[in-house]
């Protein structure tokens, strides 16, 4: 899971305002963990879907392609970086991503 957390943290760092907002509110670590779990679940789901659609394909290739798709979904779920003068950031899309990709309990 550390690689997923690293990727999520880097995506958040690419959005300095969001990163700082989460850091100051004390929720950065929990959001990184939450998004990493959802990102991993999305990646694994994509691998399963692609393997079913393309039996006999190279597993490493499927994993790489699935990771790209999951990463794009995660990026699309995060709010865009806003200037400090704009409205406060919303994590609604990120939370929707997390909820859609959380593993079943």
């Amino acid at each position: 899971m550390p690689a997923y957390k690293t990727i999520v943290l880097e995506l958040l760092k690419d959005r300095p305002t969001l990163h700082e907002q989460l850091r100051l509110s004390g929720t950065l670590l929990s959001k990184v963990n939450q998004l990493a779990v959802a990102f991993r679940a999305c990646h694994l789901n994509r691998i399963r879907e692609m393997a079913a659609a393309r039996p006999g394909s190279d597993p490493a290739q499927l994993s790489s392609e699935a990771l790209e798709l999951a990463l794009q979904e995660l990026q699309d779920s995060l709010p865009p970086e806003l200037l400090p003068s704009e409205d406060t950031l919303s994590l609604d899309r990120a939370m929707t991503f997390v909820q859609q990709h959380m593993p079943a309990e």
Side-chain angles (χ1 to χ4, degrees), residues 40-54 66:
R40 180 179 182 274
C42 183
H43 179 216
L44 296 175
N45 286 337
R46 290 289 183 183
I47 290 172
R48 281 190 288 277
E49 291 169 1
M50 294 172 82
R54 298 176 5 210

Side-chain angles (χ1 to χ4, degrees), residues 15-77:
R15 293 163 171 81
T17 304
L18 175 59
H19 182 269
E20 186 66 5
Q21 178 187 16
L22 292 171
R23 190 185 69 75
L24 291 174
S25 69
T27 60
L28 179 61
L29 181 59
S30 66
K31 290 297 180 195
V32 167
N33 288 333
Q34 197 174 30
L35 287 170
V37 167
F39 178 37
R40 180 179 182 274
C42 183
H43 179 216
L44 296 175
N45 286 337
R46 290 289 183 183
I47 290 172
R48 281 190 288 277
E49 291 169 1
M50 294 172 82
R54 298 176 5 210
S57 295
D58 177 33
Q61 180 67 29
L62 290 178
S63 181
S64 178
E65 290 177 30
L67 184 64
E68 288 180 32
L69 292 172
L71 180 59
Q72 188 60 54
E73 282 187 49
L74 175 59
Q75 287 175 317
D76 292 346
S77 76

